[in-house]
Amino acid sequence: MVCLSQALRVCILLLVQANLCSGFVFPCRSSPGGCTNVFGKRRSINVCRTPPAGASFRERRSSFALMMKGEGDDEQGKMKKLRKLAADARSAMSQADDAAARAAALRGSGEESFPSDIAGEIRTRSMLRNVSQTLYGSWLRVFVRTENVGDPLGLGTYDAPIAEGKRRKVIEEAFKRLDKDGSGYLDRTELAAGIRVALGKDPDPEMLERVWREADVNKDGVIATDEFSEAMTVLLEDREYEGLVKEAQRRQLQPRRPEDQVLASLGEVELLNGGADATKALDRLRERGEISLWNSAVVTYENVTTDRLVAVTNLTAPDDQLGLKPGKLMYIRHVVIRRAAFVGFVCLCVSGSVFPLMLKKAMALFGVVALALHLATLVFANSIDGYLQYRPVRKDKDGEDRWARRQVGRLLGAYLCGIPVQALAKANGGLREVTVYGRREGAWNYRELQDSIARDGFLSAGLSMDQVYRQCVVQMMGLVAEYLKYGKATEGYRHMALLERNLAFVQKPLSRGHRQMLARLGLVVAYRLLLEHQNAFEEMVERFKRKEKLPEIIAALESAPPTPRGMIAGANAVRK
């Protein structure tokens, strides 16, 4: 019985995956009207998702915000859970830093340097930074994130990752600066003096109390060296994070490699239908510095509310502005005919009962016609769906440009998020369509799904939350690209349906509220990425229209000049 249930689940997942590449995917039933209310006004989520035992920090970090929402936990329990998570994260990061330092020593470079995969480093540190904000928000506001008059802790010169030994010395020196009487611990007077130096004025009692309460973990009335060390580590990590972000921005403004050199590098990669092999090959090219934008997007957990969505993208009515409601013909094709077939089947079943003769004939006729119509739509599904999908493209004077922007947007999102492309081929209407894998490792297979379900309940083969966030960005990118040009997107329900079906492969089921938040997250990040790469995106669209091959389109992205920050700010202002 167990084997039968496992096989059944595998078959369902494989059917879902097979439908991802079809010409049309109808929206799921998670909301009325296809995908209406996907961006509903639920402002928060309350799902406790505990990561699997033994998971790495990169797998665990995406769950911290949900863990702290656990029901029934008191404030002290939440803080203890967060401190444990932060300690595990630092331990994993320390091991990674040691390995990077040994590699740097072999290369002959110094210890205090920025990592080559700076986007990955930012993603890794961002979740720890959010945990730190919860634990030591007052310390961060007082000593780091304020235009301070003084620097009592000596933080001003540190913005790049530093070695563990040097970090300990920095913390010891900062403690000695505050410990005026040399007692080995800090009292309220000494802490208030440090805050006074930082702000240039006496701290108000409430501020002092918040800073004190965050550091005095064991509530013994003093701040011991280990308690101060933990708070100081958070401050240094925050400075290092800001340094990483500045370095990433500086690298984006550096001149790109010439297009012919990028093409030569891409020649060794099977970009289409390459799956995991394409991912590994592109990762190697990025490590060697031959490409720079592959898997460069920083996509981390954000609880994006509807207010935040409107503030960033000006999407006040996303269901209408993104085309999330299917058209009338599509609704008839996939809803009305299906329901009529069900009613017709019932009519045929009961037509032999005690009804008047005319009513029996009418019910039987209706049943036969409804079932025949439904059968015809199943037999000719690809042709019908292709006609319904591509008719608006051919009919609208801007239809082909809209189509190109949706497809190139998905392609750009997949490349920036490190997900390989499965196909770039002609669809039913003669237009080229981009198909993206559901994960970085390529397609699933029956044996992999079966083994994973039997071994760990789908944890090893399922999508981690990090990959879920990236899939959200990829599927929303095309809609945002069309919206930025025309003020309104079309065919949004197809993209939402693809996203929903990808989410069927997540390690653990997601609540409806969580899926809504993920869709909003994908929109916000996609909007940001498109503004950052708008110069390259326009060139990619033109090449897509000219039916150039995938390597030429990717080379245009890699070699295009970076978008100036002023243009990004201007585009935001115009959109709002």
Side-chain angles (χ1 to χ4, degrees):
M1 197 68 180
V2 175
C3 295
L4 181 61
S5 63
Q6 292 176 358
L8 180 60
R9 183 177 179 185
V10 169
C11 291
I12 292 173
L13 290 172
L14 287 174
L15 285 173
V16 169
Q17 185 191 8
N19 286 330
L20 294 179
C21 304
S22 61
F24 171 76
V25 183
F26 196 68
C28 66
R29 297 178 296 170
S30 62
S31 53
C35 290
T36 306
N37 295 328
V38 167
F39 307 99
K41 296 187 177 181
R42 293 186 63 176
R43 300 302 178 90
S44 62
I45 54 177
N46 192 19
V47 184
C48 184
R49 295 170 53 88
T50 305
S56 65
F57 170 60
R58 287 180 181 270
E59 295 169 330
R60 295 173 61 91
R61 63 187 175 85
S62 59
S63 303
F64 88 92
L66 304 179
M67 290 172 60
M68 55 184 295
K69 298 279 186 179
E71 298 181 359
D73 289 343
D74 57 9
E75 190 67 24
Q76 186 175 358
K78 292 178 182 178
M79 293 299 104
K80 185 179 296 185
K81 186 180 294 184
L82 285 176
R83 292 182 193 281
K84 177 65 168 61
L85 180 60
D88 292 344
R90 290 196 183 97
S91 175
M93 289 175 58
S94 178
Q95 296 176 13
D97 291 342
D98 290 343
R102 288 194 296 270
L106 292 175
R107 292 193 303 265
S109 58
E111 285 187 1
E112 295 175 24
S113 60
F114 292 101
S116 58
D117 183 13
I118 197 166
E121 186 73 11
I122 291 174
R123 288 194 295 269
T124 302
R125 289 177 177 266
S126 62
M127 300 310 296
L128 177 59
R129 187 173 185 247
N130 289 339
V131 175
S132 301
Q133 172 66 40
T134 303
L135 293 172
Y136 294 99
S138 299
W139 279 73
L140 290 167
R141 284 190 293 273
V142 169
F143 292 107
V144 175
R145 300 178 184 173
T146 309
E147 293 295 332
N148 291 339
V149 176
D151 185 13
L153 303 180
L155 297 172
T157 59
Y158 299 101
D159 58 0
I162 60 177
E164 183 63 27
K166 187 170 183 179
R167 177 178 294 183
R168 284 196 297 268
K169 291 181 180 179
V170 172
I171 295 174
E172 291 173 1
E173 292 174 0
F175 186 83
K176 290 178 182 178
R177 288 193 184 97
L178 296 182
D179 186 18
K180 300 297 184 181
D181 59 5
S183 60
Y185 56 84
L186 302 180
D187 55 26
R188 289 178 182 267
T189 303
E190 292 169 329
L191 181 60
I195 297 176
R196 188 181 303 112
V197 173
L199 302 180
K201 61 181 181 180
D202 290 332
D204 60 75
E206 291 183 3
M207 176 189 295
L208 177 60
E209 179 61 28
R210 288 196 301 270
V211 175
W212 179 268
R213 187 169 59 248
E214 288 174 355
D216 186 17
V217 178
N218 59 7
K219 311 301 180 186
D220 61 352
V222 295
I223 298 177
T225 54
D226 58 335
E227 295 172 326
F228 178 81
S229 176
E230 186 174 347
M232 187 70 180
T233 298
V234 168
L235 303 184
L236 288 172
E237 288 171 347
D238 193 82
R239 293 301 301 269
E240 292 171 4
Y241 178 87
E242 294 296 335
L244 287 168
V245 173
K246 292 178 182 178
E247 176 65 13
Q249 295 172 353
R250 185 190 69 80
R251 291 184 183 183
Q252 281 190 344
L253 297 177
Q254 289 180 341
R256 303 282 170 79
R257 294 184 73 206
E259 184 175 337
D260 57 343
Q261 295 182 16
V262 176
L263 272 173
S265 299
L266 294 176
E268 63 184 70
V269 183
E270 187 179 356
L271 291 176
L272 290 175
N273 202 25
D277 293 336
T279 300
K280 294 175 183 177
L282 289 169
D283 287 342
R284 287 194 297 268
L285 289 181
R286 188 178 177 199
E287 290 174 1
R288 298 202 301 257
E290 298 181 33
I291 57 176
S292 59
L293 297 180
W294 164 257
N295 197 24
S296 62
V298 179
V299 186
T300 56
Y301 175 85
E302 300 176 54
N303 190 5
V304 180
T305 63
T306 52
D307 292 338
R308 169 86 185 284
L309 178 67
V310 173
V312 174
T313 65
N314 201 31
L315 283 167
T316 55
D319 289 356
D320 180 57
Q321 291 171 288
L322 297 178
L324 299 183
K325 297 179 181 179
K328 292 181 179 178
L329 291 177
M330 200 66 72
Y331 184 79
I332 292 173
R333 151 76 177 93
H334 288 276
V335 177
V336 175
I337 292 179
R338 186 179 301 172
R339 292 176 180 175
F342 175 76
V343 175
F345 175 76
V346 174
C347 289
L348 283 177
C349 291
V350 302
S351 60
S353 303
V354 285
F355 287 105
L357 182 60
M358 293 297 296
L359 182 58
K360 289 182 180 181
K361 290 183 177 180
M363 292 173 64
L365 178 61
F366 174 78
V368 170
V369 172
L371 288 175
L373 185 61
H374 182 57
L375 180 61
T377 58
L378 292 178
V379 173
F380 302 103
N382 288 336
S383 300
I384 296 173
D385 291 338
Y387 172 77
L388 294 177
Q389 180 174 1
Y390 303 114
R391 184 180 65 90
V393 177
R394 299 300 188 188
K395 185 178 179 181
D396 188 354
K397 65 177 182 178
D398 297 321
E400 291 193 17
D401 185 66
R402 286 175 175 269
W403 174 269
R405 289 180 180 275
R406 289 199 297 271
Q407 301 305 313
V408 175
R410 181 183 293 167
L411 173 61
L412 175 62
Y415 189 81
L416 295 177
C417 291
I419 301 173
V421 175
Q422 186 170 4
L424 175 58
K426 287 186 178 180
N428 291 338
L431 300 170
R432 293 200 299 174
E433 187 171 9
V434 175
T435 305
V436 179
Y437 283 107
R439 57 174 184 167
R440 277 175 55 83
E441 296 79 8
W444 285 270
N445 59 67
Y446 180 87
R447 176 59 59 185
E448 180 186 9
L449 292 174
Q450 186 182 43
D451 291 344
S452 176
I453 292 174
R455 181 174 60 253
D456 51 27
F458 201 53
L459 286 176
S460 58
L463 292 178
S464 66
M465 291 309 298
D466 181 70
Q467 295 219 51
V468 168
Y469 302 151
R470 292 168 183 277
Q471 281 295 326
C472 294
V473 175
V474 171
Q475 299 303 333
M476 296 295 102
M477 200 89 153
L479 298 181
V480 176
E482 185 182 0
Y483 163 73
L484 285 173
K485 175 70 178 293
Y486 295 99
K488 185 175 181 179
T490 54
E491 307 287 331
Y493 55 91
R494 301 179 188 277
H495 295 253
M496 286 303 307
L498 285 171
L499 175 59
E500 286 278 1
R501 297 202 175 192
N502 273 319
L503 295 184
F505 290 87
V506 72
Q507 291 173 342
K508 292 184 179 180
L510 302 174
S511 68
R512 180 179 176 183
H514 198 178
R515 294 199 305 273
Q516 291 175 346
M517 187 280 299
L518 289 173
R520 296 193 293 266
L521 170 65
L523 284 172
V524 169
V525 177
Y527 184 90
R528 184 190 311 147
L529 292 176
L530 279 166
L531 292 186
E532 290 177 0
H533 299 278
Q534 55 184 316
N535 285 344
F537 177 76
E538 294 298 331
E539 178 62 23
M540 292 173 71
V541 170
E542 292 303 318
R543 297 197 179 202
F544 184 86
K545 291 179 182 177
R546 295 198 299 263
K547 301 188 184 305
E548 295 190 14
K549 296 181 179 180
L550 184 58
E552 283 80 4
I553 299 175
I554 297 299
L557 168 63
E558 286 284 355
S559 59
T563 304
R565 293 286 164 183
M567 288 184 62
I568 297 176
N572 272 313
V574 169
R575 177 57 57 191
K576 294 178 182 180

